[in-house]
Amino acid sequence: MNINADFVEKLRNSGLRPTKQRLKICEVLFNTEKTFHFTINDLSKIIKEKVNEKISLATVYNTVHAFKKKGYLKEISINSDKSYFDTNTSVHHHFYDEDTNQLIDCHQNDIGNISIKKNVTGKKVNSIEVLIKVKNNNQN
Amino acid sequence: MNINADFVEKLRNSGLRPTKQRLKICEVLFNTEKTFHFTINDLSKIIKEKVNEKISLATVYNTVHAFKKKGYLKEISINSDKSYFDTNTSVHHHFYDEDTNQLIDCHQNDIGNISIKKNVTGKKVNSIEVLIKVKNNNQN
DNA sequence: ATGTTACTTTATAATGATTCTAATGTATAT
DNA sequence: ATATACATTAGAATCATTATAAAGTAACAT
Ligand SMILES: [Mn+2]
Ligand SMILES: [Mn+2]
Ligand SMILES: [Zn+2]
Ligand SMILES: [Zn+2]
């Protein structure tokens, strides 16, 4: 278990105890080639189906929020019904496919630089996020 | 009732019957100098306090969604807890004050032009929205 | 005006995502 | 091995939103 040792270290370094539940969730979230977007529901479905481990829904919530707080996950709000999480924690923008409800990363180089000419007085800019909603060409 | 007649016409033209509930809500939302952002909770509080009319919460939801569908309101998702609505239906961006949880309009001229260099294949860009999160300068 | 119909409002229940609780289990340090 | 703080868990609670279905009202034809 080479990869597992990495996650143990990662968790320990964050002050999180490496429990088997957290390690399983790490595997699902971070042991992939590409980053991805998911809802809590997606995640618990993946755990149920692909992993031989029953993790309480409360633990999934706890863990996702713990990972978000440690900066290993990002939360993305597209509509108020569901909350999306992102394993890509870098500053980046998103396409949102309104037909399929899918989030797609939009890399910095796919979009012109964004300059804020006038800011709110007495405040510092914390993040700039662009959301591009796309739809099918054919009218429905 | 000059203004009221306008709202009656507006509703009729949209295929919505001008009920007294809808007219009251029109007054609250559209009989103002400036556009503003609100949650359903905000709106029903305003109706309770400033207007001598008791409107069922279900009707507030129904009306807001009807107005959104007709293009008189815009829905804005900042975080998954609350849904914000906007009486400014033009294409525009937002500052979100993370200290006060307030939405502030960001006009087109306060921000550089945004060019999408690479789009999702087979899709047309429907909207481009920028969200700028701001915070106090002093660390807390 | 009256009646008919479709639309609207309303109170209340249902839903569903998220959070809370408090009991049980476990990792870590001594 | 023991103590202790941290973590997991099932189930309950919360809260925003949506559904239901009964009663009310606007629009329209007679
Ligand atoms: Mn909605
Ligand atoms: Mn959250
Ligand atoms: Zn992303
Ligand atoms: Zn706005």
Side-chain angles (χ1 to χ4, degrees):
Chain A
M1 280 296 139
N2 207 345
I3 301 147
N4 215 280
D6 287 349
F7 291 140
V8 170
E9 201 188 339
K10 177 175 185 164
L11 289 170
R12 281 229 182 82
N13 290 340
S14 320
L16 297 171
R17 289 181 182 173
T19 65
K20 64 179 179 182
Q21 292 87 345
R22 283 176 177 161
L23 288 169
K24 272 296 171 198
I25 292 174
C26 276
E27 269 185 52
V28 172
L29 294 182
F30 308 123
N31 194 19
T32 58
E33 201 66 27
K34 292 175 185 173
T35 62
F36 63 101
H37 308 99
F38 65 95
T39 64
I40 296 279
N41 197 48
D42 294 338
L43 179 55
S44 53
K45 202 173 289 175
I46 293 169
I47 292 166
K48 271 180 213 127
E49 290 170 2
K50 296 193 181 165
V51 181
N52 54 338
E53 193 90 35
K54 24 183 148 30
I55 301 179
S56 158
L57 183 59
T59 299
V60 178
Y61 271 97
N62 288 343
T63 303
V64 165
H65 282 127
F67 286 3
K68 181 191 169 189
K69 185 179 270 181
K70 295 299 179 185
Y72 302 143
L73 290 174
K74 215 173 159 182
E75 193 169 4
I76 298 179
S77 291
I78 272 62
N79 59 46
S80 43
D81 327 325
K82 340 176 184 182
S83 201
Y84 289 83
F85 290 89
D86 198 336
T87 64
N88 178 355
T89 57
S90 76
V91 175
H92 66 285
H93 312 299
H94 290 98
F95 293 102
Y96 182 65
D97 188 330
E98 294 188 313
D99 302 313
T100 64
N101 280 20
Q102 275 210 316
L103 262 184
I104 301 153
D105 276 1
C106 175
H107 294 284
Q108 297 294 114
N109 15 346
D110 295 343
I111 205 168
N113 216 44
I114 295 151
S115 64
I116 311 299
K117 293 173 186 168
K118 202 186 279 179
N119 188 12
V120 181
T121 52
K123 301 279 176 176
K124 75 171 207 292
V125 171
N126 212 44
S127 74
I128 303 170
E129 303 258 340
V130 182
L131 182 64
I132 304 146
K133 293 189 178 172
V134 299
K135 259 188 186 172
N136 270 335
N137 278 314
N138 53 354
Q139 76 286 1
N140 248 359
Chain B
M1 282 297 140
N2 206 346
I3 299 147
N4 214 282
D6 287 350
F7 291 138
V8 170
E9 201 187 337
K10 177 175 186 164
L11 290 170
R12 281 229 180 81
N13 289 340
S14 321
L16 296 172
R17 289 181 183 174
T19 64
K20 64 180 179 180
Q21 291 87 346
R22 283 175 177 161
L23 288 170
K24 272 295 170 197
I25 292 174
C26 275
E27 269 184 51
V28 171
L29 294 181
F30 307 123
N31 194 19
T32 57
E33 200 65 27
K34 292 175 184 171
T35 62
F36 64 101
H37 307 99
F38 65 95
T39 64
I40 296 280
N41 197 47
D42 294 338
L43 179 54
S44 52
K45 202 172 290 177
I46 293 169
I47 292 166
K48 270 180 212 124
E49 290 171 2
K50 298 195 179 165
V51 181
N52 53 338
E53 193 91 36
K54 23 183 146 37
I55 301 179
S56 158
L57 183 59
T59 300
V60 177
Y61 272 97
N62 287 343
T63 303
V64 165
H65 282 127
F67 286 3
K68 182 192 168 188
K69 184 180 272 180
K70 295 299 178 184
Y72 302 144
L73 290 174
K74 216 173 160 181
E75 193 169 3
I76 298 178
S77 291
I78 273 61
N79 58 47
S80 44
D81 327 325
K82 338 176 184 182
S83 201
Y84 289 83
F85 291 88
D86 199 337
T87 64
N88 179 356
T89 58
S90 76
V91 175
H92 66 286
H93 312 298
H94 290 97
F95 294 102
Y96 182 65
D97 188 329
E98 295 188 311
D99 302 312
T100 63
N101 280 19
Q102 275 209 317
L103 263 184
I104 301 153
D105 277 1
C106 174
H107 295 284
Q108 296 295 114
N109 17 345
D110 295 343
I111 206 168
N113 215 43
I114 295 152
S115 65
I116 311 298
K117 292 173 184 167
K118 201 186 280 180
N119 188 12
V120 181
T121 51
K123 301 280 175 174
K124 78 170 205 290
V125 171
N126 212 46
S127 74
I128 303 171
E129 303 258 339
V130 182
L131 181 65
I132 304 146
K133 293 189 179 173
V134 299
K135 259 188 186 171
N136 270 334
N137 277 315
N138 54 354
Q139 76 286 5
N140 248 0

